[in-house]
Amino acid sequence: MYDLNKILVGLAIFLLFFTFPILYGMGSAVPAPKPKLDTPEIQKLTDKKCVEDTHFMRTSHMQFLNYWRDKAVREDQRTYDSKLNGKKYDISLQNTCMKCHSNKKDFCDSCHTYASVKPYCWDCHIEPKAAKESM
Amino acid sequence: MKASRREFLKLAGVSALFGLGANAAFELLTPGALEASSEVAHGAAHGEAAEGVQAATRWAMVIDVRKCILQEDCQDCVLACNSTHNIPTVGNPKEEIKWIWKDTFEHLFPDQHSQYVDEGLEGKAFPVMCNHCQYPPCVRVCPTKATFKRPDGIVMMDMHRCIGCRFCMAACPYGARSFNWRDPRKYFEGKEAMLNPEQPTRTKGVVEKCTFCPERLAKGLEPACVEACKKRKSDCLIFGNLNDPESEVRKILRKRTSIRRKPELGTQPSVFFLV
C-alpha cells in the first residue's frame, strides 16, 4: 500500500511543473533601461540638470506632469520656478520637457516599454520630430 | 407620539395637497435663506468672484462687422486659428470642428431679422466664435468640470477631463462647440508638416471650442485670429479687457452701436458685433 516511489516521482513532477515559470526565466532577466540623454538641447546645457532633482524626476515625473497640467490649464500659471536651481521654465509638455528630451523613443519610451506603461498623452500631445522619424 | 400608518398617510396626503414640498417647508421656516444660498451657489458655479468684487480682467472680443464685410472672401482669422491649434479640415459639415468660423447675419442673428434686412448686411458673412459668456450654460451642465469659467472670463476647456458626454453642446445656445467624432490626427495623415508642433491636437471623443488662446495671452500676445486680422490691416477684430474703462474694446463700444447674439437668454456674451 505504501507507494513511496510513485509518490516521490509525482512530487518531483509537481515541483518541476509548479516552479517552471521561475526556472524558465532564470538568467535571462531583461536589463534595466538606460534612458539616453544625448540630445542636442541637453548637450548645450553647461549644468546637465532636469527641471527638478533627478531622483525626484525618476520616481515622480507622472505626478509632476499632472501638477504642471493643472497649473497651466486650470490655474493659468504657465511658468514654473524650479526648486533645484531657481531657474524659470515654461510649463509645457511639448515645448519644455520634450525640447530637452527630444529623443522620446530612447528616453521616455525606453523606461515605459520596460515598465509596460503606455501614457495616453501622445493621443493629443505631439511627439518631437526626431522620435517620429525613427518609428 | 405614536402615529398609526393611517394617520401618517392622511398627513402625507394633506401636505401634498397643500404643496408643502421641501422648498416650501424651508421657506416657511427660514424665509429667504434658501434663495440666498442658491444664489451664492449659482455665482460659484459660474466661477464668479465673491459678490460685489469685480475681477480685474474680463476678456472680450469686438467684431467690426462693417469693416469685415468689405473683405468678402477673407478667411485669414479662421485659417490662423486652425493652423495654430491644429484644427482639422473635416469636409463633412456634420462632423466639422470649428473654433472661429464665418456665417451670415441672418444665421447668426435670427432674432434680429427684421422684415427688411439692411442691404449692406444681407447675406454677408463675418466671423463668430465662442461667446465666453458671463453666465455660461455649458459650464453649468458639465459633469466633470472639464469646461469651467476662469476669473478673467474665459470659458476654458480642460481636455484632460472631457469625457465626451456632449451636455455642453446641448446647453450652448450658439453652436460654438464641436465634437470629435473621429481621431482628428486622421485628417493630418500625409500632412504632418501642417501640424503646429508647439500645440497639441485633440483626440476622438472630446468636445472643443475657442479658448481665446490662453497660451498666447500668458505671453502677452493677442489671440491668433486677432493677430492675423491686424497683419492684413483690416482691423475687424478688437480684443481687450472689458473691465478696463480705458481699453480699446470699451472705447469702441462707447462710440459704436453693438449687438450680441441672443441677449434675451441672459448669458451675457463677451463677444460684441459692431453693426
Side-chain angles (χ1 to χ4, degrees):
Chain A
M1 269 315 277
Y2 297 107
D3 290 327
L4 185 63
N5 284 347
K6 277 186 195 158
I7 290 171
L8 278 181
V9 169
L11 262 177
I13 290 173
F14 171 77
L15 269 179
L16 208 71
F17 185 72
F18 213 71
T19 54
F20 176 75
I22 300 165
L23 298 172
Y24 185 74
M26 244 188 207
S28 60
V30 184
K34 288 202 178 57
K36 286 209 183 104
L37 292 166
D38 54 352
T39 66
E41 202 65 30
I42 291 179
Q43 257 146 28
K44 265 192 263 163
L45 294 175
T46 43
D47 188 17
K48 299 212 185 325
K49 289 276 159 56
C50 196
V51 290
E52 285 295 348
D53 173 64
T54 313
H55 180 72
F56 170 80
M57 290 311 289
R58 187 175 301 154
T59 54
S60 310
H61 62 278
M62 28 274 162
Q63 287 97 326
F64 185 71
L65 279 171
N66 285 354
Y67 172 78
W68 265 28
R69 177 194 67 200
D70 290 349
K71 275 279 163 217
V73 177
R74 300 200 77 86
E75 292 167 36
D76 195 35
Q77 286 176 26
R78 287 171 190 264
T79 47
Y80 175 76
D81 296 310
S82 168
K83 283 161 202 68
L84 184 68
N85 49 17
K87 265 200 212 160
K88 280 192 194 310
Y89 292 97
D90 279 346
I91 292 188
S92 174
L93 176 58
Q94 281 165 241
N95 306 328
T96 306
C97 304
M98 304 319 284
K99 275 265 147 63
C100 279
H101 300 296
S102 55
N103 53 345
K104 176 173 171 289
K105 217 172 155 46
D106 292 329
F107 187 76
C108 316
D109 294 353
S110 73
C111 283
H112 293 163
T113 310
Y114 179 76
S116 191
V117 277
K118 289 194 186 70
Y120 69 102
C121 319
W122 314 109
D123 290 354
C124 294
H125 289 276
I126 296 176
E127 298 174 21
K129 275 254 162 54
K132 230 187 240 162
E133 276 159 16
S134 62
M135 253 170 42
Chain B
M1 186 185 88
K2 210 173 155 221
S4 73
R5 175 204 283 262
R6 189 182 177 81
E7 268 168 57
F8 172 77
L9 285 176
K10 259 201 239 160
L11 197 69
V14 169
S15 316
L17 218 70
F18 285 102
L20 219 68
N23 271 10
F26 266 112
E27 202 53 47
L28 277 179
L29 298 171
T30 53
L34 192 65
E35 198 179 329
S37 72
S38 73
E39 238 160 52
V40 170
H42 186 74
H46 286 304
E48 297 272 276
E51 219 161 312
V53 180
Q54 195 183 38
T57 312
R58 178 177 164 202
W59 293 118
M61 185 78 79
V62 177
I63 299 168
D64 193 331
V65 175
R66 291 288 162 185
K67 272 188 185 164
C68 185
I69 57 181
L70 298 175
Q71 319 275 334
E72 221 162 316
D73 295 320
C74 174
Q75 291 279 342
D76 285 10
C77 53
V78 180
L79 294 176
C81 178
N82 289 1
S83 61
T84 304
H85 298 110
N86 297 322
I87 299 164
T89 312
V90 176
N92 177 358
K94 280 192 180 154
E95 294 182 8
E96 73 187 348
I97 311 283
K98 46 197 186 15
W99 289 27
I100 176 173
W101 71 102
K102 281 177 95 172
D103 208 341
T104 57
F105 181 79
E106 292 89 330
H107 281 167
L108 298 177
F109 294 96
D111 43 352
Q112 303 254 342
H113 207 152
S114 81
Q115 194 171 1
Y116 306 102
V117 179
D118 180 336
E119 249 179 38
L121 288 175
E122 202 177 352
K124 296 277 165 54
F126 47 86
V128 265
M129 76 254 333
C130 167
N131 269 322
H132 296 276
C133 307
Q134 189 173 1
Y135 302 112
C138 52
V139 169
R140 294 194 65 176
V141 299
C142 179
T144 61
K145 292 205 167 123
T147 192
F148 60 98
K149 193 168 153 243
R150 308 198 322 178
D152 62 3
I154 292 181
V155 176
M156 184 63 180
M157 270 307 295
D158 186 343
M159 297 298 171
H160 310 95
R161 283 203 187 190
C162 180
I163 55 169
C165 71
R166 295 186 284 142
F167 285 7
C168 57
M169 294 179 70
C172 176
Y174 306 104
R177 293 175 161 270
S178 309
F179 182 67
N180 284 279
W181 291 96
R182 294 161 206 279
D183 182 1
R185 291 271 173 97
K186 198 185 79 144
Y187 301 102
F188 288 98
E189 263 166 32
K191 294 186 276 185
E192 280 84 3
M194 280 173 65
L195 284 171
N196 173 8
E198 301 202 337
Q199 281 286 314
T201 60
R202 265 67 53 199
T203 185
K204 183 176 168 176
V206 296
V207 174
E208 59 184 88
K209 67 170 196 79
C210 159
T211 54
F212 274 170
C213 294
E215 76 285 353
R216 293 173 58 91
L217 296 180
K219 290 189 196 139
L221 298 168
E222 288 189 300
C225 53
V226 179
E227 191 183 81
C229 191
K230 283 198 170 154
K231 212 179 204 169
R232 196 188 160 97
K233 300 217 162 48
S234 26
D235 295 332
C236 326
L237 298 176
I238 305 138
F239 184 79
N241 178 4
L242 214 54
N243 285 356
D244 170 9
E246 293 313 311
S247 66
E248 218 185 324
V249 283
R250 282 289 293 278
K251 277 184 192 154
I252 198 145
L253 288 175
R254 271 201 291 273
K255 266 190 267 165
R256 302 263 307 269
T257 309
S258 63
I259 54 173
R260 291 184 291 177
R261 294 178 70 198
K262 304 190 183 169
E264 69 277 11
L265 299 177
T267 58
Q268 300 291 0
S270 299
V271 177
F272 298 76
F273 298 85
L274 303 177
V275 289

